[in-house]
Amino acid sequence: MISNLETTQKGMQIMDALEEGLAKRVCNRLSELDSDLPRLITDYAFGSVVARPGLDLKVREMITVASLITLGNATPQLELHMKAALNVGVTPEELLEIVIQMAVYAGVPACMNGLASYRKVMNDKGLTLPGLKQEAI
Amino acid sequence: MISNLETTQKGMQIMDALEEGLAKRVCNRLSELDSDLPRLITDYAFGSVVARPGLDLKVREMITVASLITLGNATPQLELHMKAALNVGVTPEELLEIVIQMAVYAGVPACMNGLASYRKVMNDKGLTLPGLKQEAI
Amino acid sequence: MISNLETTQKGMQIMDALEEGLAKRVCNRLSELDSDLPRLITDYAFGSVVARPGLDLKVREMITVASLITLGNATPQLELHMKAALNVGVTPEELLEIVIQMAVYAGVPACMNGLASYRKVMNDKGLTLPGLKQEAI
Amino acid sequence: MISNLETTQKGMQIMDALEEGLAKRVCNRLSELDSDLPRLITDYAFGSVVARPGLDLKVREMITVASLITLGNATPQLELHMKAALNVGVTPEELLEIVIQMAVYAGVPACMNGLASYRKVMNDKGLTLPGLKQEAI
Amino acid sequence: MISNLETTQKGMQIMDALEEGLAKRVCNRLSELDSDLPRLITDYAFGSVVARPGLDLKVREMITVASLITLGNATPQLELHMKAALNVGVTPEELLEIVIQMAVYAGVPACMNGLASYRKVMNDKGLTLPGLKQEAI
Amino acid sequence: MISNLETTQKGMQIMDALEEGLAKRVCNRLSELDSDLPRLITDYAFGSVVARPGLDLKVREMITVASLITLGNATPQLELHMKAALNVGVTPEELLEIVIQMAVYAGVPACMNGLASYRKVMNDKGLTLPGLKQEAI
């Protein structure tokens, strides 16, 4: 977790793997507030924690989506990480399963809010909803 | 909690008692995502839990509103259940009392957010706010 | 919500209706911290909010239990209000229904924690669990 | 915590110190709902709790902002209290520090949501973001 | 999500895969409360949601652990699902990574509480903590 | 926020200012889990965030206590930071005020739990409760 040029670059690479151009966009926004603030995201969140070798990026995005649905008050971040999950190989069907399982643990309202974000993300990416691929009930 | 046609119908009847046409609307929306998903709501949430005989529907909506104000992150569901509460016999005055009591347990911000939803629901249903019926302070 | 002798007495009467001797016990404990603090509970929470006329005490305890299960981090208060609910006329069967319905809104873990408190309260009061009254499955 | 004319006035004075005209605006809004409701805010929240002598108003607003960022579901109140904090002497740099420290305790999403509210508040008050005052990275 | 004998059995099989004897133990405990209650867990939580085909059981336990750490108020369930995760193939190192990543999303206190549960689970299962396998710092 | 020897040392100095020997104790515990984990606390939480110059340590502990009472599920950390607050110059009376004000924002149960931790901390440090210094009511 040494925060040096290497850590910063590793963090930014992960951010860009999640969404093209994300690292630069977030750093520009945050540096308007404070010159050290971008490193909170690049070096700490992504470079030192998400970059750890023990889990692949696909699983890391899956557990992040589960956490954000459970928190229930971070819709922009939930939608960013749902798109990121799709970008690193989580399938639309797997993503939907995560949202549905949260009904058990975080409650049905958290699940319903998660489904609304899921629809928006699928629509923004031009993807067909899983249930519409097959015959409806 | 046997999930069969009877359970599904009982769940859908409760949903329609809460809001006319709710069952069909929710099922249509959810089946766009997954063919089994509507049953999470009709058979589990409403048919097996809310349909249990131990409490009448009016009390069930009252405790649901209390829970949703406390969660604080489920505004659409809160407004749906506030309308539903009014539809099954909770009076506007009783509904207001529930929101006010939540100030003690969930905090004043949760109460204030609940009051904002209450105003919106009363307005959507064309009802006069309780305080306006009498002389204002 | 005028906080005068009458409000204080009304608040303390409600507290004692919920649990015999509660008002004095809470006031003694809180006055060890600050001489004005007991009034936060007697005058505000109970005398001005819970004492409002719009809902009867039984319903007020029911929504309080729903809120405390949803918060999930207030076990002592949850158990106090579960006992209080039983003391003001909520039946053991109704209390159990509230805990069960919270599975839908606050999640199954919140419900499971609520069931643990319910067992403890029933045991402390020497009451038989509802399922043991009839033949077990 | 005696709720009399003096308590009401003290509460309203604090509210107006936080934001000019706040007391009247809030009381008018709340009295549309119930004639006793304004006193929940003027007498309890501000007149009896925030008015206590043990902490100055600047520190009280700082801990309120920390609590509201942690709750994460009370954006309108967070923005009101961020403006109020600036109005009673918290500097923009101090306010930003509070938001940043919440990343550690309430999580990065809560901090990011707090930063979005911070930007909006600074913009509404016509203030320059701290990072733009100096050379960007 | 048809709740019939097949669903019940599927749910109970999953529960026993997570922890030997879990299904019977939970059903016995819950039937003391209400004869329908065991099915809330066997048929709904496990038989209809966790049993869905879209994610394997290992991933389902990973997102469950993430959700429970984020909720922060369900320690017994967190420890049960941490053990379950290890039982279905999540390695101790992967489980630790999930806890650590939650520092970013749910905050450092949630992570610290998660680490305490992790230690307890590792100890209960007689496993060596990952950091002790290698030379300490 | 450069994480190098200087940052690590700064973080550990802050930790030891909050509680003598805290840095070593936490690092030893965490290194049993993972060799990089201590830096999450020393370099990130304390060295890079809490060490920022914009707020003094006394205010930082005050907002931390407010956040932890609001979270409501981090009792060990709340008690650690209550003690730390007293160690860096927050008076027992100021600390009590913070807990009391949280009644408004996080709810009365969060305040009551905070008061229980406050009592424990005061007792552990051999300090007299503020209300006992004067005549009780």
Side-chain angles (χ1 to χ4, degrees), chain B residues 61-62 65-66 69 78-79 81-86 90-101 114-115 117-118 121-122, chain C residues 54-55 63:
Chain B
E61 285 305 298
M62 289 170 127
V65 166
I69 291 171
L78 174 58
E79 289 171 11
H81 282 282
M82 281 182 160
K83 284 180 190 164
L86 295 168
V90 177
T91 67
E93 289 76 13
E94 287 174 322
L95 191 54
L96 180 59
E97 285 308 313
I98 296 170
V99 184
I100 293 172
Q101 183 155 334
L115 290 177
S117 292
Y118 178 78
V121 162
M122 291 292 283
Chain C
L55 291 175
I63 62 170

Side-chain angles (χ1 to χ4, degrees), chain B residues 14 33 35 45 65-66 68 75 77 95 98 106 109 114 123 126-127 129 132:
Chain B
I14 292 174
L33 296 170
S35 59
V65 166
L68 291 168
T75 308
Q77 290 90 344
L95 191 54
I98 296 170
N123 188 56
L127 295 170
L129 296 178
L132 297 180

Side-chain angles (χ1 to χ4, degrees), chain D residues 8 19 26 32 48-49 52 57 66 77 79 82 89 91 106 117:
Chain D
T8 310
E19 182 183 310
V26 167
E32 294 171 14
S48 299
V49 179
R52 288 170 60 96
L57 201 48
Q77 290 89 343
E79 289 171 12
M82 280 183 160
T91 66
S117 292

Side-chain angles (χ1 to χ4, degrees), chain A residues 20 24 44:
Chain A
E20 205 185 308
K24 197 167 176 186
Y44 163 60

Side-chain angles (χ1 to χ4, degrees), chain E residues 45-107:
Chain E
F46 290 99
S48 300
V49 178
V50 179
R52 288 169 60 95
L55 291 175
D56 64 32
L57 200 49
K58 189 180 151 179
V59 168
R60 288 195 183 273
E61 285 306 298
M62 288 169 127
I63 62 170
T64 299
V65 166
S67 176
L68 290 168
I69 292 171
T70 306
L71 281 171
N73 54 32
T75 307
Q77 291 88 346
L78 175 58
E79 289 170 12
L80 186 152
H81 283 283
M82 280 182 160
K83 283 180 191 165
L86 294 169
N87 290 340
V88 297
V90 177
T91 67
E93 290 75 14
E94 287 174 323
L95 191 54
L96 179 61
E97 285 307 311
I98 295 170
V99 184
I100 293 173
Q101 183 155 332
M102 289 303 103
V104 176
Y105 295 99

Side-chain angles (χ1 to χ4, degrees), chain C residues 29 32-33 35 41 73 77, chain F residues 72 112-113 119 129 131 137:
Chain C
R29 285 284 285 172
E32 294 171 14
L33 296 171
S35 59
I41 303 302
N73 53 35
Q77 291 90 343
Chain F
M112 291 296 116
N113 287 337
R119 278 172 186 282
L129 296 178
I137 288 178

